[in-house]
Amino acid sequence: MPDPVDPVAPAPRASALAAVHKALGASFTDFGGWLMPVRYTSDLAEHHAVRRAAGLFDISHMAEFVVTGPDAAPFLDHALAGPLATLAVGRAKYTLLLNEGGGILDDLIVYRLAADRYLVIANAGNRTVVAEALEDRAQRWPIVATLAGGDRPAGGSFALVRGSRPVRVDDVSDSYALLALQGPRSSQILSAVRGLEATGADPAALSSYAWAEASFDGVPVLVLRTGYTGEDGYELLLPADRAAGLWAALQEAGEGLGLIPAGLAARDTLRLEAGMPLYGHELSADVRPDQVGLARVVGSGASGPPGFVGGDALARPRDAGAPVLVGLVSEGRRAARSGYPVRLGDSVVGNVTSGALSPTLGHPIAMAFVRPDLAAPGAALDLDVRGTRIPATVTALPFYRRKK
């Protein structure tokens, strides 16, 4: 759920679509330093619309970075977890930014735009962290690559000598808006948007975790087939000053197909049902990927030296007592929330990170860190919901998986 407002924090920023949201009657919340719509009408109606038809989200608070240069591919293999050099142009990959200790600084989606050009999308609240980490690693990259030696590309081998930068990181977050169209009818709606024209591959026919170029009234649009709700869908990146026009065109195309604007409250219950971790809840700088089921994301990192930041720490065994993330399901209507204890008998054996009454499933669900010896599906635990014990059962994630 949205973070509480910090009274000493600077005033939140507004999306390029703020006037549109106000006209639609949205309620707002401060999220990641942005004043964003939390709902327009009803959390439940918006949630169900995404599961049954389609929802339209403004996610312009997300941060975008473009990484370019002859060493962009090997640099990202070093800077991020998981191999990015093997990612084909036109494809995308979920990955992680780790610290030296193997802790998670943010989770990211990386799109390969060209052989020497990548788009990195980060969480809004971690924009500064990601910007500083990428820039710091880019500055160090010539030294890292030179010391690694071997078959490094010429840009990496000699850049330090000639003083040039084989990698450039640009924070383009302020220039673009990002819209998310999610739901089983999203492809049908996207195909009907007036003014949206494919300039290459048909965006509506993209496979999952792929992207295509398009134009909207003559302005370039990047259509990304990813998502954060567990449903089929698209994200559309375009210049911020043209976002209102595309939002209106999407609404027009979705009339009669069940499309409604959806806010952050629905987005949170959708992602929880899909078992997707959220930074600040399931992910943090103190959490390793293998504690939250993301060891597969790390893989073997770069194919050769110099390895990836955090890789050495992850090569060492995890603390045997470190808590691991599990799913918990329970009966009734009372849902646990973030921070509520998980108990076994009189002992606290974990803490809830996210919880809600699932609108789709009709019963409470939660994600929680628990002792590793209690993480097997079927384990019986208790959720402490404001002093009341609620029996719960450990279950495999995700809670909800869409039918294909």
Side-chain angles (χ1 to χ4, degrees):
M1 287 296 295
D3 296 330
V5 174
D6 182 348
V8 299
R13 304 179 61 186
S15 157
L17 291 164
V20 173
H21 301 319
K22 290 178 182 175
L24 290 169
S27 301
F28 291 85
T29 188
D30 184 349
F31 185 81
W34 288 74
L35 196 62
M36 300 300 293
V38 65
R39 68 183 61 80
Y40 298 84
T41 54
S42 148
D43 298 350
L44 284 177
E46 293 166 19
H47 181 108
H48 288 315
V50 174
R51 289 280 182 253
R52 299 167 181 169
L56 181 58
F57 300 85
D58 177 11
I59 53 170
S60 299
H61 56 303
M62 304 290 283
E64 295 89 24
F65 303 88
V66 175
V67 180
T68 54
D71 266 13
F75 164 71
L76 287 177
D77 273 356
H78 168 69
L80 306 179
L84 281 309
T86 57
L87 187 66
V89 175
R91 303 293 302 175
K93 181 179 176 60
Y94 178 83
T95 188
L96 300 167
L97 177 71
L98 303 176
N99 59 27
E100 295 284 353
I104 300 170
L105 295 176
D106 201 13
D107 60 335
L108 315 164
I109 298 182
V110 177
Y111 305 82
R112 192 164 196 177
L113 304 179
D116 59 354
R117 185 176 176 87
Y118 291 79
L119 171 68
V120 179
I121 297 187
N123 287 299
N126 285 335
R127 175 180 174 180
T128 300
V129 170
V130 174
E132 291 178 351
L134 289 179
E135 182 58 32
D136 178 67
R137 292 170 194 186
Q139 289 185 4
R140 296 172 183 270
W141 172 248
I143 300 173
V144 172
T146 300
L147 292 177
D151 296 325
R152 302 306 313 159
S157 299
F158 301 106
L160 186 64
V161 177
R162 66 173 184 258
S164 64
R165 292 279 301 277
V167 176
R168 173 171 172 166
V169 179
D170 291 304
D171 183 344
V172 299
S173 308
D174 293 337
S175 300
Y176 291 93
L178 189 59
L179 311 183
L181 174 65
Q182 294 282 302
R185 293 179 180 169
S186 57
S187 178
Q188 184 180 358
I189 293 168
L190 189 74
S191 298
V193 175
R194 291 198 299 177
L196 184 67
E197 304 289 341
T199 57
D202 178 8
L206 285 172
S207 58
S208 178
Y209 273 71
W211 61 269
E213 293 177 316
S215 68
F216 175 70
D217 286 348
V219 175
V221 178
L222 206 59
V223 182
L224 320 166
R225 196 162 196 174
T226 49
Y228 192 63
T229 62
E231 293 297 334
D232 187 18
Y234 304 84
E235 291 168 342
L236 301 103
L237 184 73
L238 79 166
D241 61 353
R242 305 302 292 273
L246 181 56
W247 177 281
L250 285 161
Q251 282 202 293
E252 180 186 42
E255 286 183 3
L257 293 174
L259 175 69
I260 62 172
L264 291 177
R267 188 170 168 84
D268 192 61
T269 50
L270 290 160
R271 73 92 193 166
L272 176 57
E273 288 181 349
M276 296 181 179
L278 177 64
Y279 199 89
H281 289 248
E282 288 75 36
L283 308 180
S284 78
D286 297 323
V287 171
R288 290 171 44 132
D290 52 3
Q291 289 179 256
V292 290
L294 295 178
R296 69 187 187 285
V297 175
V298 175
S300 58
S303 57
F308 63 94
V309 176
D312 289 345
L314 296 183
R316 296 189 288 272
R318 188 180 73 218
D319 178 356
V324 295
L325 188 70
V326 299
L328 290 165
V329 295
S330 54
E331 303 289 335
R333 310 292 293 177
R334 299 191 66 182
R337 303 295 183 184
S338 178
Y340 285 15
V342 181
R343 294 182 178 276
L344 177 65
D346 293 330
S347 301
V348 174
V349 295
N351 283 285
V352 172
T353 53
S354 299
L357 178 62
S358 166
T360 303
L361 304 174
H363 58 74
I365 58 175
M367 288 196 281
F369 279 111
V370 302
R371 278 180 7 202
D373 59 311
L374 302 172
L381 301 171
D382 285 338
L383 294 168
D384 187 336
V385 180
R386 297 183 176 180
T388 299
R389 297 287 188 93
I390 306 292
T393 303
V394 174
T395 187
L397 296 170
F399 301 104
Y400 164 85
R401 194 185 299 277
R402 71 182 170 94
K403 296 178 182 178
K404 297 183 179 178

